[in-house]
Amino acid sequence: MAHRLSLTGSADYLYRSFFSYSGLRSMKTDLQEGTVMHCWVPKSQKASKPNLMLVHGFGANAMWQYGDLLHHLMPRYNIYVPDLLFFGESWTRRPNRSEEFQAQCLRRLMEAHGVGRLSVVGISYGGFVSYSMAAQFPELVEKVVVCCSGVCLEEKDLKEGLFEVADLEEVASILMPQTPQKLRELIKFAFAKPVKGVPSCFLSDYIHVFCTEFLAQKKELIHALTANRKLDKIPKIEQPTLIIWGEQDKIFPLELGFRLQRHIGENARIEVIKNAGHALNIEKPREFAKHLKAFLIENSSSPRSNLCSTLSLNWSWSWSSNSTSYSNSNSSSCSNTNPYSLSSLRQKNFFWPSP
């Protein structure tokens, strides 16, 4: 309830309402052995649609990272948007912190929901998990999209100066900011054109909502990514794979994208988005969606009415310099009575929830 008194909390409430009215519902699944995973799942799973999982990275929760994609993909897919362990409402008492374990938990989550085949999209840390899922369970994963994820980094890369940060302690302090100064540093790393002049009170509010839980466990996740990591130990996946990268990524340099493409081989292709940093899903949502649709949906077509029937809300709330306000760019081409339009959300008092 306290979160609704804050700007960040109000925005989070809006995202939650948007996901719910988009046809998804929030569910927790007890995987036993002290592990619980939360996931947004279809309110009504349709056998005629393929399944698609969207896996988030560090930062704000999965709703914030994938909100701009729903209206592109919901008409075509049964969408699943999980919280990885130690993010959102997912947690475990087990000590394993590897991306392999995260992937195993996602598989068990999908089994619990009756999903036997899917494609997967992973951003940053979510890309590590998605890649591991494809490697461990090829019978489950059909296609893979890896976005700005240093899957092919090696432990020696830190010492050899591939990254702008000096060590894992500095990485952890940036990815899990506890002060406005550190959050400004994260914004600087994440965006090609970071917005400037954000008041410290707004940054502190964001930190309070998103950056104060499971700090020790998240630090362990970061350390697990690089420990004894060598390229020749990273499995090669055989699924069709799309690699998407921001040209100016300062967290995982573009070289790691080309390294991953070479590692996978002929089944992988890479798309580089210009004037984009690590958070390209927020900074360049239209280009990001364009590449996803071209790869996942390929050349199949859909009537215009179908594209508008489920969702027409194309809005963004971020600290990106390209998006500082809400927009409803698709509303002119769809009916004004669309229940998922921005005006409808306003009328239903979901835009600014009461305390």
Side-chain angles (χ1 to χ4, degrees), residues 134-176:
Q136 292 185 76
F137 313 114
E139 75 287 349
L140 172 65
V141 179
E142 183 176 6
K143 290 184 178 182
V144 184
V145 182
V146 176
C147 311
C148 295
S149 180
V151 173
C152 280
L153 68 82
E154 298 186 271
E155 188 175 26
K156 66 179 182 179
D157 288 330
L158 274 170
K159 299 178 181 179
E160 294 180 355
L162 178 63
F163 305 102
E164 293 191 22
V165 293
D167 53 42
L168 290 180
E169 294 302 317
E170 185 177 356
V171 172
S173 70
I174 294 173
L175 291 181
M176 299 179 291

Side-chain angles (χ1 to χ4, degrees), residues 109-252:
L109 177 68
M110 290 298 97
E111 287 177 344
H113 289 288
V115 176
R117 189 72 168 162
L118 54 76
S119 294
V120 61
V121 178
I123 294 175
S124 193
Y125 177 66
F128 286 86
V129 178
S130 298
Y131 189 92
S132 179
M133 196 174 180
Q136 292 185 76
F137 313 114
E139 75 287 349
L140 172 65
V141 179
E142 183 176 6
K143 290 184 178 182
V144 184
V145 182
V146 176
C147 311
C148 295
S149 180
V151 173
C152 280
L153 68 82
E154 298 186 271
E155 188 175 26
K156 66 179 182 179
D157 288 330
L158 274 170
K159 299 178 181 179
E160 294 180 355
L162 178 63
F163 305 102
E164 293 191 22
V165 293
D167 53 42
L168 290 180
E169 294 302 317
E170 185 177 356
V171 172
S173 70
I174 294 173
L175 291 181
M176 299 179 291
Q178 297 301 294
T179 66
Q181 179 182 358
K182 279 298 181 182
L183 183 49
R184 288 190 179 95
E185 195 171 347
L186 174 58
I187 295 170
K188 181 180 177 181
F189 271 101
F191 294 95
K193 295 181 179 180
V195 66
K196 299 178 181 179
V198 180
S200 293
C201 61
F202 290 165
L203 300 179
S204 296
D205 180 44
Y206 178 91
I207 291 169
H208 175 71
V209 174
F210 287 126
C211 306
T212 58
E213 295 184 330
F214 298 119
L215 292 179
Q217 292 88 342
K218 288 178 180 176
K219 187 175 181 179
E220 291 168 358
L221 294 178
I222 293 172
H223 281 267
L225 283 179
T226 60
N228 301 314
R229 198 176 191 95
K230 295 183 180 180
L231 187 60
D232 58 7
K233 293 183 179 180
I234 299 171
K236 294 184 179 181
I237 61 176
E238 297 183 357
Q239 294 94 333
T241 303
L242 174 65
I243 303 165
I244 307 178
W245 225 272
E247 183 183 37
Q248 300 179 40
D249 194 332
K250 296 179 182 178
I251 292 181
F252 290 125

Side-chain angles (χ1 to χ4, degrees), residues 24-31 35-42 45 49-55 77-84 90 101-121 129-130 133-134 137 139-143:
L24 301 178
R25 59 186 171 125
S26 173
M27 284 195 66
K28 289 183 182 179
T29 302
D30 188 348
L31 301 182
T35 301
V36 173
M37 295 203 78
H38 170 264
C39 187
W40 287 94
V41 304
Q45 186 183 42
K49 290 184 178 181
N51 303 304
L52 179 65
M53 178 186 288
L54 307 176
V55 188
Y77 288 91
N78 295 310
I79 300 291
Y80 296 84
V81 190
D83 286 335
L84 293 173
S90 296
F101 179 63
Q102 294 267 20
Q104 290 160 16
C105 289
L106 288 182
R107 184 196 186 188
R108 292 172 63 193
L109 177 68
M110 290 298 97
E111 287 177 344
H113 289 288
V115 176
R117 189 72 168 162
L118 54 76
S119 294
V120 61
V121 178
V129 178
S130 298
M133 196 174 180
F137 313 114
E139 75 287 349
L140 172 65
V141 179
E142 183 176 6
K143 290 184 178 182

Side-chain angles (χ1 to χ4, degrees), residues 275-289:
N275 300 316
H278 185 72
L280 56 80
N281 54 309
I282 297 174
E283 198 165 26
K284 298 288 184 178
R286 291 184 180 180
E287 290 90 334
F288 183 49

Side-chain angles (χ1 to χ4, degrees), residues 14-22 67 70 311 313 315 345:
L14 175 61
Y15 270 109
R16 183 172 293 274
S17 299
F18 175 52
F19 267 56
S20 179
Y21 275 78
S22 299
L70 286 188
L311 294 172
L313 181 58
W315 51 268
L345 288 176

